[in-house]
Amino acid sequence: MVTINGESVNAAGKTVAQYIAEAGYNAERVVVERNLVILKKEELGETVLEDGDSVEILNFVGGG
Amino acid sequence: MIAKEELDRAFDARFSPEIKEKLQAARVAVAGLGGLGSNIAVMLARSGVGHLFLVDFDKVDTTNLNRQAYTIPHLGMDKTDAIKMILADINPYLDIKTECVEVTPGNVSRLFGEYGIVCEAFDRPDRKAMLVRELLTQTEAVVVSGNGMAGYGDADEIRTNRVNGRLFVCGDLTTDVGSGTGLMAPRVAVCAGHQANKVIQLILK
């Protein structure tokens, strides 16, 4: 299991890009931290989630 | 023009010399000079932050007047020039540097690489995410971001959230300007206040 934003999710084996698309996020509007490391944009599609990973997805909304 | 000593005396009446020196020595960058950034810049200038680097590529227009620090005489000006005028009327002895440029992944390091604290104050969500991501991966800066301040819901839903030691996100995290809710001065100013307050905490810690 992978811990994503504090919840246990069965996402091991998926890339981060696959997971965020399936979960309904727009990849252009998120910052993803995996095991305390911020992922570069190009790393989203290359990074495969593993059991025990801890992921924070920070979703940005408009306005400023 | 008012003497620097007179402004210093007014500050000394409220805070210790240690606090004044830390604030005067601080260097803070603000990316985006809209509702968040213009208000953050004003608050940091009033607080005596000695060096501000302010970046935006936009001009002041009439749709800005409902929430940004600008007034009618600034219409049509580059926001970087307008904010310099405003800050000079608050404290002419601050060191204010500006650059009228669009921030991209390619210039983040050049623009912000030497700053220990950077405020993200953009408006579009993709631009906000880009800047936060690039600052955290390309620089050593602590980032204070604004996320979710549209509408007129309860102001105390806007909080300062610590994501990690290098990222603080201020806002309600959910209220999107795109969902039919416009931006209004109070919640934008509340969010800008959270960001400016976190910056001051980081300077004085």
Side-chain angles (χ1 to χ4, degrees), chain A residues 26-33 36 38-44 56 58-64, chain B residues 35-36 67 122-123 125-126 128-129 132-133 136 145 147-149 164 167 169 174-177 183:
Chain A
N26 176 340
E28 298 290 329
R29 299 183 177 189
V30 297
V31 173
V32 181
E33 183 190 68
L36 305 179
I38 299 290
L39 298 181
K40 295 177 184 166
K41 203 172 163 197
E42 60 270 21
E43 291 173 328
L44 299 179
E56 291 290 327
L58 176 58
N59 184 56
F60 281 90
V61 295
Chain B
L36 294 175
R67 69 188 188 284
F122 288 166
D123 51 4
D126 54 329
K128 292 165 109 44
V132 170
R133 190 190 304 122
L136 292 175
S145 174
N147 188 25
M149 76 302 294
N164 59 48
L167 176 60
V169 179
T174 55
T175 315
D176 193 334
V177 73
L183 293 161

Side-chain angles (χ1 to χ4, degrees), chain B residues 98 103 118 128 133-134 136 146 160 174-175 192 196 205:
Chain B
T98 62
V103 178
V118 181
K128 292 165 109 44
R133 190 190 304 122
E134 299 301 329
L136 292 175
T160 300
T174 55
T175 315
K205 76 175 180 203

Side-chain angles (χ1 to χ4, degrees), chain B residues 22-66:
Chain B
K22 280 186 178 175
L23 289 167
Q24 277 184 350
R27 297 165 48 83
V28 177
V30 180
L33 295 172
L36 294 175
S38 65
N39 285 306
I40 292 168
V42 164
M43 286 187 264
L44 294 179
R46 289 193 195 282
S47 304
V49 173
H51 173 88
L52 295 173
F53 177 43
L54 311 170
V55 180
D56 200 304
F57 65 92
D58 210 358
K59 290 184 191 300
V60 180
D61 76 43
T62 50
T63 66
N64 303 149
L65 298 175
N66 77 330

